[in-house]
Amino acid sequence: MTTQLADQSNYAQAEINLQLDAEEKIKLMRDMIRIRRFEEVSLKYYNADKMGGFLHLYIGQESIAVGTISLCGENDHIITAYRDHGHALAVGMGMNECMAELFGKATGCSKGKGGSMHFFAPDKNYWGGHGIVAGQTPLGIGLAYGIKYKGLTGSSLCFLGDGAVNQGAFHESLNLAELWDLPVIYIIENNGYSMGTSQKRSSAFKGSLAQRGEAYGIAWESAKGHDIYEVRAKTKAALDRAHQENRPTILELATYRYQGHSVADANAKKYRTPEEIVHHKENFDPLNVWKNQLMQEGVLSEESYRQIDSEAKSEARQAAEFAEQSPYPEIGEITDDVYFEVDKDTEAGNQGRHFFHD
Amino acid sequence: MTLYRHALNRALDEELANDDNVVIIGEEVAEYDGAYKVTEGLWKKWGDKRVVDAPISEAGFIGMGIGASMLGVRPVMELMFFSFAYVAFDQMINNAACVRYMSGGLINCPIVVRGPANGGTNVGATHSHTPENLFANMPGLKVVVPSTARDAYGLMKSAIRDNDPVYFMENTLLYGDPAAASELPEEEFTLPIGSAEVKRSGTDVSLIAHGRSVLVALEAAKQLKEEKGVDAEVVDLRSIRPLDEETILNSVVKTNRAVLVDENKPFCGVSAQIAATIQQEAFDDLDAPVLRVTSIDAPAIYSPPLEKEQIPNVGRVVEKVMQLG
């Protein structure tokens, strides 16, 4: 613990962190707590059969989405895989629309058409929410390509898990990112397991997964993900590289998920020991680490923490009520949102038959 | 007369001029002038930003184009062969076709993926796929298969201006074929996607086809008239999805017979869908079962004389029409 705090104080001295005022620090706390409470409530309703499909929980990894996204500006865009609730809330999506999406309701962020793995908010530079492992990585460089093509100073933060690094699409995107000098930051959220298979059993690597970037000449860094100061300091360097040089970075952040791969992961406690989970919760919980840090800095009191926590719980409960009370989409809406031209009733949308059911 | 490849080239050139967001990306499209010379001269004219050589990395660069299109870039991506779509399938289906839906309509992908999709060139099974049926199966995608230079020009311009993903399937045998060449007016024009065209009017049987099979059907119609006294009508679908069912059905109602000419493999091929539509919508107008001429149901054979037999040809179409009795 002592060493850990010593490390943290180093990153606390990073310029990007020195710029944080008390209010901003507390916002980071609040953002992480909101993600955790949102997901705890969603788990409760999932277990009560209020939702279908999968629920991939982000609990334990909150510092990564919150820390990285806290640095994003007007032209920085975000895309991730299926463990996407944390990033959604971090970019500013509301709990109501997110919870309603999990319930499959018409008031959901995707009108009940995407589900847990497919949250989007392009107005907040959030491009999903993608279900196929590493399938979002070519899209991630596409966002970077678009930013550069339009002559903007920005970046694409392309999140992926440690299981995604063995997919071909990821490697193809790495080659293009470096070849074409694209302002993309790959953020590998390494929680140690690709579903139930540990990193050792799934990946050939030397030192770290990010080090694979060397083969492409891409700058890389691996770091601890549970401490927001460190996450922000490392992300800032990558953002500067993207903004100033249009160059990619691979940033691998060590983290841990407390729940299974998804709630449907029947072996969540079999491929790892209960002690391992407890060890992470006790020593590296991102909420606790940040809370202790802020209390040490005199920015946060136990009382104000409890108030933030209570507000987050209440917000999540209200979101569940909103979702429960919302209507499901109508059958007639199944074929909406398939074609732009049809939805907008344009000339092109009225030409020929687009749908073939009776 | 303008050749099919030159008509496409003109459409691309004009759309590069019309919209700064249009960018052409693909293998050998720039400095090499295009493997089939469809993009000839465009890099020289438009430069590195607008015409971009991609490495052999279809999943990567097609996916990249889809991502860029979400931000409003309008990429026109060349697949040197549409058969190579199979290594980019996840991007082309899960991302391009589904992202609008899964985002509840918040995102759209104004991308064109184009390239030749045909057999008949003795390049073996891996390079001879005709995936129009596969892609048309996926709601969210549009699939265009032009048979003439005029259609290729007008439909390409519409495809680039369309705000949905359009997969545009050309044909290496048509690029330089005088039979596919057209007179093009000097002024620009577009053709709507989702509009079939009667390429030859007739009264006895409807030959319904798309892509190069339209030219096969036209040649067969000529032979049927001259040698058998059968007056065939030829309907060119031009696009598979959206599909112009009205033109198909009007033709069948007029001729009371239909033979579908389709380079797809028969099982779940485009013609299977057309046959289902005809039996459902024009059952009482049919004097004979709907018959099909498709590729012979095996991976594309290499052997040059046999491949001519495997894909639809004039002889097989004439024979099938005569089976109608």
Side-chain angles (χ1 to χ4, degrees):
Chain A
M1 206 66 186
T2 322
T3 329
Q4 199 184 67
L5 287 176
D7 278 346
Q8 277 164 23
S9 60
N10 285 340
Y11 290 109
Q13 298 308 310
E15 200 190 328
I16 191 69
N17 291 326
L18 288 172
Q19 291 167 6
L20 284 171
D21 62 25
E23 200 178 318
E24 288 165 333
K25 288 177 184 178
I26 286 171
K27 183 180 185 306
L28 296 172
M29 185 82 255
R30 180 180 291 113
D31 285 352
M32 287 200 290
I33 296 173
R34 286 178 70 246
I35 292 170
R36 185 161 300 184
R37 300 310 172 220
F38 172 86
E39 291 209 312
E40 284 168 350
V41 169
S42 71
L43 174 60
K44 186 178 136 195
Y45 284 87
Y46 182 89
N47 286 333
D49 281 340
K50 297 285 185 183
M51 301 169 191
F54 297 131
L55 189 72
H56 303 91
L57 296 176
Y58 196 62
I59 294 175
Q61 305 185 198
E62 295 92 339
S63 46
I64 296 180
V66 170
T68 53
I69 292 168
S70 68
L71 295 169
C72 286
E74 191 187 354
N75 295 316
D76 297 311
H77 294 258
I78 292 124
I79 189 165
T80 188
Y82 45 81
R83 199 177 302 285
D84 63 347
H85 312 156
H87 310 77
L89 294 177
V91 301
M93 288 176 74
M95 280 198 196
N96 281 3
E97 54 181 317
C98 291
M99 192 69 83
E101 187 62 29
L102 297 178
F103 277 66
K105 297 298 182 76
T107 53
C109 49
S110 297
K111 305 180 188 168
K113 291 176 173 177
S116 165
M117 300 187 283
H118 310 115
F119 285 7
F120 300 85
D123 63 323
K124 298 178 174 63
N125 290 1
Y126 186 47
W127 301 91
H130 293 269
I132 302 298
V133 174
Q136 80 281 14
T137 56
L139 299 181
I141 58 165
L143 295 172
Y145 189 92
I147 292 158
K148 189 177 173 187
Y149 188 85
K150 288 166 181 257
L152 301 169
T153 298
S155 72
S156 163
L157 271 63
C158 180
F159 294 84
L160 60 151
D162 47 300
V165 302
N166 300 319
Q167 287 275 41
F170 172 58
H171 287 267
E172 292 196 27
S173 78
L174 291 180
N175 180 58
L176 292 169
E178 178 62 23
L179 186 70
W180 287 342
D181 293 332
L182 300 177
V184 60
I185 302 164
Y186 295 95
I187 297 169
I188 302 173
E189 299 192 55
N190 187 345
N191 63 25
Y193 296 89
S194 54
M195 196 168 160
T197 305
S198 68
Q199 181 179 331
K200 268 189 186 164
R201 292 176 57 229
S202 58
S203 294
F205 64 99
K206 188 176 157 188
S208 72
L209 299 176
Q211 198 173 347
R212 288 184 179 182
E214 272 180 23
Y216 299 95
I218 297 180
W220 63 275
E221 174 115 58
S222 49
K224 295 192 295 294
H226 62 272
D227 168 27
I228 281 212
Y229 276 148
E230 181 166 351
V231 169
R232 281 171 49 92
K234 305 282 187 183
T235 305
K236 179 64 169 64
L239 275 169
D240 287 346
R241 187 174 294 117
H243 291 171
Q244 291 159 18
E245 304 168 44
N246 271 329
R247 295 287 308 282
T249 303
I250 306 176
L251 180 56
E252 177 181 356
L253 298 171
T255 187
Y256 200 78
R257 63 166 153 80
Y258 299 166
Q259 304 289 325
H261 165 71
S262 77
V263 181
D265 176 2
N267 293 334
K269 288 175 184 160
K270 289 185 185 163
Y271 51 77
R272 52 191 188 172
T273 61
E275 292 77 21
E276 181 183 301
I277 303 173
V278 169
H279 170 71
H280 280 274
K281 282 186 181 177
E282 285 183 352
N283 298 297
F284 304 106
D285 182 79
L287 272 64
N288 282 341
V289 168
W290 190 237
K291 179 188 171 192
N292 291 338
Q293 177 71 29
L294 294 192
M295 285 177 74
Q296 208 174 22
E297 290 182 23
V299 168
L300 183 77
S301 67
E302 188 64 46
E303 194 191 343
S304 54
Y305 178 86
R306 268 196 235 114
Q307 190 183 336
I308 294 167
D309 194 30
S310 147
E311 285 166 4
K313 281 177 178 163
S314 159
E315 187 186 0
R317 275 196 302 271
Q318 283 169 24
E321 276 171 38
F322 169 81
E324 282 222 276
Q325 284 161 15
S326 292
Y328 286 106
E330 303 283 336
I331 288 177
E333 291 166 335
I334 292 177
T335 49
D336 291 346
D337 307 312
V338 178
Y339 291 100
F340 174 97
E341 303 290 354
V342 174
D343 292 337
K344 305 291 180 196
D345 200 23
T346 64
E347 209 178 321
N350 283 296
Q351 195 75 44
R353 185 171 179 181
H354 287 75
F355 299 100
F356 292 85
H357 56 284
D358 284 335
Chain B
M1 293 288 269
T2 304
L3 290 173
Y4 191 98
R5 73 155 55 83
H6 295 145
L8 286 167
N9 184 278
R10 180 181 151 188
L12 296 171
D13 185 31
E14 287 172 1
E15 293 309 302
L16 280 163
N18 288 337
D19 186 347
D20 290 343
N21 283 319
V22 173
V23 55
I24 293 173
I25 305 174
E27 293 155 13
E28 312 292 3
V29 297
E31 298 191 30
Y32 192 90
D33 268 339
Y36 287 100
K37 301 292 174 255
V38 172
T39 55
E40 190 168 21
L42 296 180
W43 172 71
K44 208 168 179 186
K45 178 171 177 184
W46 293 101
D48 288 333
K49 187 179 180 190
R50 310 292 303 281
V51 185
V52 183
D53 276 326
I56 300 172
S57 184
E58 287 87 1
F61 75 76
I62 298 280
M64 190 200 77
I66 295 165
S69 79
M70 301 192 311
L71 274 186
V73 180
R74 303 184 84 88
V76 181
M77 318 293 289
E78 175 171 309
L79 285 167
M80 192 184 291
F81 288 81
F82 229 103
S83 294
F84 303 164
Y86 294 19
V87 296
F89 213 65
D90 177 49
Q91 298 300 321
M92 294 175 72
I93 297 287
N94 278 318
N95 291 341
C98 299
V99 75
R100 177 171 180 79
Y101 197 68
M102 295 194 305
S103 66
L106 295 175
I107 298 172
N108 53 306
C109 291
I111 191 169
V112 175
V113 181
R114 53 157 290 269
N118 59 281
T121 57
N122 324 133
V123 287
T126 56
H127 285 57
S128 304
H129 292 292
T130 52
E132 58 268 29
N133 57 329
L134 297 188
F135 288 114
N137 182 252
M138 193 63 219
L141 299 179
K142 297 182 179 178
V143 178
V144 176
V145 192
S147 69
T148 67
R150 181 176 178 277
D151 291 350
Y153 168 85
L155 290 166
M156 177 57 78
K157 290 172 74 78
S158 291
I160 294 170
R161 297 177 190 188
D162 201 282
N163 290 297
D164 293 306
V166 181
Y167 295 172
F168 197 98
M169 303 191 192
E170 303 160 10
N171 192 307
T172 52
L173 293 171
L174 297 183
Y175 284 142
D177 184 350
S182 313
E183 290 285 357
L184 294 186
E186 279 198 19
E187 58 278 11
E188 294 186 33
F189 68 94
T190 62
L191 292 171
I193 297 170
S195 164
E197 186 178 58
V198 176
K199 287 279 199 284
R200 182 190 200 275
S201 189
T203 53
D204 299 337
V205 59
S206 300
L207 303 179
I208 300 165
H210 62 277
R212 182 172 166 272
S213 294
V214 172
L215 301 192
V216 172
L218 284 168
E219 194 56 35
K222 203 170 145 197
Q223 208 177 98
L224 282 163
K225 182 74 178 169
E226 285 167 4
E227 297 174 14
K228 314 284 182 187
V230 173
D231 186 16
E233 176 150 305
V234 176
V235 176
D236 181 355
L237 300 176
R238 300 203 288 195
S239 69
I240 311 304
R241 188 172 189 145
L243 182 67
D244 180 0
E245 290 187 339
E246 199 182 330
T247 300
I248 296 168
L249 294 170
N250 285 344
S251 177
V252 174
V253 166
K254 180 170 118 183
T255 65
N256 310 116
R257 289 176 175 80
V259 171
L260 315 182
V261 189
D262 178 8
E263 196 179 314
N264 268 174
K265 301 300 187 294
F267 191 89
C268 296
V270 168
S271 51
Q273 173 65 33
I274 309 296
T277 300
I278 295 172
Q279 69 80 23
Q280 183 177 313
E281 304 295 332
F283 187 76
D284 291 336
D285 293 290
L286 285 173
D287 287 344
V290 176
L291 298 182
R292 299 192 292 158
V293 179
T294 66
S295 285
I296 293 173
D297 205 8
I301 192 168
Y302 158 67
S303 181
L306 273 88
E307 196 187 10
K308 284 191 171 58
E309 292 304 318
Q310 184 175 16
I311 63 176
N313 56 42
V314 174
R316 283 173 59 206
V317 175
V318 169
E319 193 183 335
K320 192 67 81 178
V321 169
M322 297 318 290
Q323 280 173 22
L324 287 170

